């Protein structure tokens, strides 16, 4: 399972909020909700988040075994 726990840590460190993602960076409300619920998003979205936050993929997502 892919989790977006690192995303929220990275955003907090850089002073970003979900408001920032939606209204200043143009990310849709539905995409932000998918991230909050650890639901699948496109690699395009992951790429966009890395660019916005100036981090690598490990600053956005992590893999966790579903056991």
């Amino acid at each position: 399972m892919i989790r977006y726990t690192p995303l929220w840590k990275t955003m907090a460190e850089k002073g970003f909020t979900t408001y920032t993602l939606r209204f200043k960076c143009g990310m849709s409300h539905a995409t932000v909700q998918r991230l909050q619920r650890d639901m699948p998003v496109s690699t395009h979205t992951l790429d966009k988040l890395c660019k916005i936050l100036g981090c690598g993929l490990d600053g956005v997502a992590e893999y966790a075994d579903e056991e």
Side-chain angles (χ1 to χ4, degrees), residues 2-8 34-35 38-41 46 60-61:
I2 302 295
R3 291 192 205 159
Y4 302 106
T5 306
L7 172 63
W8 312 118
R34 293 181 71 76
L35 291 164
D38 288 332
M39 295 174 69
V41 295
L46 296 174
V60 174

Side-chain angles (χ1 to χ4, degrees), residues 8-64:
W8 312 118
K9 290 179 185 178
T10 304
M11 285 175 53
E13 289 170 3
K14 299 193 181 240
F16 278 73
T17 64
T18 57
Y19 176 89
T20 309
L21 290 179
R22 290 192 319 254
F23 295 102
K24 294 187 178 179
C25 300
M27 194 160 287
S28 75
H29 179 71
T31 299
V32 173
Q33 282 188 324
R34 293 181 71 76
L35 291 164
Q36 289 173 320
R37 296 176 182 159
D38 288 332
M39 295 174 69
V41 295
S42 70
T43 54
H44 173 70
T45 298
L46 296 174
D47 180 60
K48 188 174 179 178
L49 286 167
C50 289
K51 285 179 184 172
I52 289 168
L53 297 169
C55 67
L57 191 54
D58 61 338
V60 174
E62 66 184 3
Y63 174 77

